[in-house]
Amino acid sequence: MTRLLDTSQQIADEGEEERVSRLLTGLSAMAILFLLGIGAKAWFATHTHHAFSLWFFAGLVAMNMLAFARSGNRRHQKAGMISIVGLLFGYLIITGGESNTGPLWFYVFPPLLFYLTDLKTGTAVLLFCCLLAVVVFQFPELPLVTAEYSTDFKIRFFATLTFESIFCFVLEASRLKARNELMELARAHQHAARTDELTGLSNRRDIQHRLSEEYSRYRRSGHHFSIVLIDLDLFKRINDDYGHDAGDYVLRAFSKLMQTVTRQTDVAARWGGEEFLILLPDTSLLQALTLAERLRSEVACAEFSYSGRRMPVTISAGICSIAKTGSVDELLKQADVHLYNAKEDGRNRVAPRVRTSSGDTSPSGAGS
């Protein structure tokens, strides 16, 4: 069950990564157009150095897109885009762009940064960029710094940038929280859809899905598997003589006992009513018979008491291996036939009974 939920989480994460990648590709294309256009404007305004710089950054964005198209590595795509945009804004702050308006483009950075990274990484990168802006604003005489800004511009720039950054942080935190809550709700619904409410075991729908998966694995790689179909003997008498609450107790207690006998790789499920099914991957018929006999013996020796009254509980089981059949339906039908035979032979036993070289049969149930 946990494996299925983890798989669903991975699928959801992969879907979101793909959406982010598509969005980033679109933003990259738009960025190239803007940089080429603004660079052309700077060229015609005789700001040739600024024009070449913008075209250079457009080339970097195009190279990042080409690298992603070849590798398909989304992590490198995001890291490359963030690095290019960070360098671009660093250039605009240091040079001022045209008419010292370059820093205004920095307002694009916080929402993009928080969307492409996690909150901690986004905050760290943003603080570093803000520190760079503070250094440039306070020390205009530094090498490569060619822009000077008024005190009023500096105050307004940092005030509005701080507000925007906090606002983007809160929005992204809220989005992530809502997404996680939706994922938890989806996991809860998925768990409920695949779990028997009374026993906590897999339900019929889930075990049928797992049987199909195991059969596909068997067809691909030849890994055999077996099933054990179990019925609680004379369960209706327990409900009639002790009450339905006692019957529910027996179902829950048997389910717990069954889970102590099965392996971690096995899947125990409530097949319906008082019937249960165990899926045994990589298990031969003889191994399945051995496990079923052990479970039968454990149940026969266990004490089932409810409200101080002890109830007689035994099981009958039909076992079948996929090697004996050609499909999941045939597997289930054959296991059901063996279960019927076990009950017809007196209950509290497993079937088929394996004949040994000495002529005896095993496993054998109590009373056989």
Side-chain angles (χ1 to χ4, degrees), residues 56-112:
F56 171 74
F57 281 107
L60 290 180
V61 176
M63 289 175 61
N64 188 55
M65 291 181 66
L66 182 61
F68 172 69
R70 289 181 175 179
S71 68
N73 192 312
R74 298 190 182 106
R75 180 176 297 180
H76 289 170
Q77 180 196 26
K78 290 194 292 185
M81 188 62 176
I82 291 172
S83 300
I84 294 169
V85 173
L87 290 173
L88 173 60
F89 290 148
Y91 162 78
L92 292 174
I93 290 174
I94 290 173
T95 64
E98 289 191 61
S99 305
N100 278 7
T101 59
L104 298 180
W105 287 97
F106 197 81
Y107 294 122
V108 180
F109 201 38
L112 177 68

Side-chain angles (χ1 to χ4, degrees), residues 21-71:
S21 181
R22 288 199 300 266
L23 174 63
L24 193 54
T25 300
L27 290 175
S28 298
M30 291 179 60
I32 292 174
L33 293 177
F34 269 94
L35 289 170
L36 292 176
I38 298 174
K41 176 180 177 297
W43 174 268
F44 288 113
T46 68
H47 297 150
T48 56
H49 177 76
H50 184 55
F52 281 122
S53 297
L54 294 179
W55 290 340
F56 171 74
F57 281 107
L60 290 180
V61 176
M63 289 175 61
N64 188 55
M65 291 181 66
L66 182 61
F68 172 69
R70 289 181 175 179
S71 68

Side-chain angles (χ1 to χ4, degrees), residues 34 37 110 126 150 187 221 236 259 271 283 293 344:
F34 269 94
L126 193 58
S150 65
R187 280 194 288 267
S221 55
K236 185 176 183 299
Q259 288 177 300
W271 189 242
T283 304
E293 173 59 21
E344 283 292 301

Side-chain angles (χ1 to χ4, degrees), residues 115 140 231 279 290:
Y115 186 73
D231 183 80
L279 169 62
T290 301

Side-chain angles (χ1 to χ4, degrees), residues 151-313:
T151 301
D152 185 59
F153 178 87
K154 297 174 187 177
I155 294 174
R156 291 177 183 273
F157 175 78
F158 281 114
T160 52
L161 181 63
T162 300
F163 175 80
E164 185 202 20
S165 299
I166 295 175
F167 186 65
C168 291
F169 182 93
V170 172
L171 284 180
E172 182 63 13
S174 299
R175 186 187 75 86
L176 292 176
K177 181 181 179 182
R179 177 182 179 275
N180 291 335
E181 288 176 350
L182 286 174
M183 289 300 301
E184 287 296 329
L185 185 62
R187 280 194 288 267
H189 280 295
Q190 186 180 48
H191 184 266
R194 295 179 177 274
T195 305
D196 177 64
E197 185 177 2
L198 178 64
T199 63
L201 302 176
S202 293
N203 60 17
R204 189 178 185 122
R205 174 185 176 185
D206 182 54
I207 197 64
Q208 286 178 322
H209 175 73
R210 290 174 182 266
L211 282 169
S212 297
E213 284 188 335
E214 198 63 33
Y215 182 70
S216 298
R217 192 169 78 98
Y218 162 71
R219 294 291 300 272
R220 289 194 309 270
S221 55
H223 288 275
H224 289 76
F225 67 96
S226 301
I227 63 170
V228 180
L229 188 60
I230 302 166
D231 183 80
L232 296 183
D233 295 330
L234 304 175
F235 184 74
K236 185 176 183 299
R237 290 186 182 178
I238 295 177
N239 282 329
D240 293 341
D241 296 344
Y242 302 94
H244 288 280
D245 289 342
D248 290 345
Y249 160 77
V250 169
L251 293 174
R252 288 192 296 266
F254 169 72
S255 299
K256 291 180 180 179
L257 177 59
M258 179 168 52
Q259 288 177 300
T260 64
V261 174
T262 56
R263 306 163 301 181
Q264 286 188 342
T265 55
D266 302 334
V267 182
R270 187 179 180 189
W271 189 242
E274 67 271 20
E275 284 193 339
F276 295 82
L277 188 145
I278 306 176
L279 169 62
L280 306 170
D282 300 311
T283 304
S284 66
L285 178 62
L286 184 59
Q287 291 171 323
L289 285 165
T290 301
L291 183 142
E293 173 59 21
R294 179 187 168 194
L295 176 61
R296 185 208 63 77
S297 178
E298 292 276 352
V299 173
C301 296
E303 181 176 329
F304 293 83
S305 298
Y306 185 78
S307 297
R309 303 174 67 187
R310 182 170 180 175
M311 295 167 288
V313 178

